[in-house]
Amino acid sequence: MISIICCSNDEQTLKEMLISSLEKQINKDYELIIVDAKKHNFISASQSLNYGIKQSHGEIIMICHQDIKFLDSDFLNKVVLYVKNNPKAIFGLAGCGYDHIVYSTVKHGKNKKYAGTTFDEIKSIQTLDEVCIFFCKDNFYGFSEENKTWHLYGTQLCLDNIKRGNENFVIPSNVYHKSSGNSMNNAFFIEYKRICKIYNDVKFINTTMLILKNNAICLFFGILYKKIKRFIKRILKITND
């Protein structure tokens, strides 16, 4: 069985996107566990997802956003095959490689644009985007609750998996993500710096949103540059509106 864990705060979007596409799957051997963080007073994704996984009964865990739609009816069958073939690996639909390239075949937003370099075959990468990740439950050691945000919980999961001598993979998929995926804020930068401190022996921390060399100078100026760039974009948007 696949246990699908989703943190949701928008019932309509959940039904229109994720649930509607799951109902069209050939593989019906799954359970959907919806976690309402507000109801349980959870302050982070890690808390919410750890709670959801504790309620699960499946051998395979899939974490996904509420606003994605699986466009192929055999997607869950593929998930089962990937995990059975490599139960120590973590898989996802978008990720960043050791070559600092973001790989994804997920289409995002109103214009349905790709948010990375497209590819045709499974690729070994460093970290995965949290839009959708899946793995064998026996290979799960928990999301770190030191992460008090809704960002980068998948990044630390992947880095922990590498530390144990395993691999992470991004897979080609036919999936639509309603959001533009641009969720970077100050909490993101705080968590990115925390992860860099934990993995201070890793030269680069490559994520789908930020790729920086892991030293104090690069982190300071790299994050400052990103903040200034985002500020300018907001000003230009307000001006154009």
Side-chain angles (χ1 to χ4, degrees):
M1 178 190 287
I2 304 171
S3 294
I4 302 168
I5 319 294
C6 177
C7 298
S8 177
N9 60 1
D10 186 334
E11 187 177 354
Q12 183 176 346
T13 296
L14 176 69
K15 288 180 178 179
E16 289 177 355
M17 299 297 292
L18 179 61
I19 291 177
S20 70
S21 67
L22 287 174
E23 288 173 346
K24 296 175 183 176
Q25 290 295 303
I26 296 168
N27 186 340
K28 303 296 184 182
D29 190 20
Y30 69 86
E31 62 176 352
L32 179 59
I33 298 172
I34 307 300
V35 181
D36 184 338
K38 188 175 181 180
K39 177 182 177 182
H40 296 283
N41 295 316
F42 295 141
I43 63 169
S44 68
S46 293
Q47 273 190 330
S48 303
L49 295 172
N50 284 339
Y51 170 82
I53 291 171
K54 284 179 182 176
Q55 317 307 313
S56 67
H57 302 93
E59 302 83 24
I60 296 172
I61 301 295
M62 186 164 79
I63 309 293
C64 58
H65 287 185
Q66 65 183 355
D67 60 342
I68 64 170
K69 184 176 284 190
F70 305 117
L71 302 178
D72 290 339
S73 61
D74 63 345
F75 178 78
L76 292 185
N77 282 339
K78 292 175 182 177
V79 166
V80 173
L81 288 175
Y82 279 122
V83 175
K84 281 188 175 180
N85 288 336
N86 195 341
K88 296 287 187 180
I90 298 174
F91 301 88
L93 308 186
C96 192
Y98 297 97
D99 53 6
H100 317 311
I101 296 174
V102 174
Y103 294 98
S104 175
T105 56
V106 177
K107 291 182 179 178
H108 293 265
K110 292 180 180 179
N111 296 325
K112 298 184 178 180
K113 291 183 177 179
Y114 292 115
T117 299
T118 59
F119 59 101
D120 297 320
E121 296 181 356
I122 185 171
K123 285 185 174 290
S124 177
I125 46 80
Q126 188 186 44
T127 70
L128 292 161
D129 189 273
E130 292 83 5
V131 64
C132 180
I133 57 178
F134 55 92
F135 46 82
C136 178
K137 189 176 184 179
D138 287 343
N139 192 41
F140 179 68
Y141 294 85
F143 289 104
S144 172
E145 295 193 15
E146 291 298 312
N147 182 347
K148 307 297 183 184
T149 77
W150 296 87
H151 303 281
L152 298 169
Y153 49 92
T155 294
Q156 185 165 358
L157 188 73
C158 289
L159 293 172
D160 283 346
N161 199 43
I162 292 169
K163 197 171 183 179
R164 291 193 294 271
N166 304 319
E167 287 186 275
N168 308 307
F169 294 95
V170 64
I171 66 166
S173 62
N174 186 16
V175 173
Y176 172 59
H177 184 207
K178 188 176 182 180
S179 167
S180 64
N182 188 15
S183 61
M184 189 182 287
N185 56 22
N186 195 52
F188 176 95
F189 296 122
I190 291 171
E191 180 57 21
Y192 187 90
K193 288 190 286 186
R194 188 189 73 85
I195 288 175
C196 286
K197 286 182 180 179
I198 295 171
Y199 300 97
N200 55 17
D201 57 331
V202 178
K203 191 173 182 181
F204 281 90
I205 303 294
N206 302 304
T207 75
T208 55
M209 299 289 288
L210 185 62
I211 302 168
L212 292 176
K213 195 170 185 178
N214 192 3
N215 65 54
I217 294 173
C218 290
L219 285 173
F220 177 81
F221 285 106
I223 290 174
L224 179 63
Y225 169 76
K226 279 286 188 179
K227 287 182 176 180
I228 292 171
K229 188 176 178 180
R230 285 175 57 80
F231 176 75
I232 292 171
K233 280 185 175 180
R234 285 198 297 270
I235 296 298
L236 291 174
K237 185 178 179 181
I238 292 170
T239 303
N240 292 332
D241 291 344

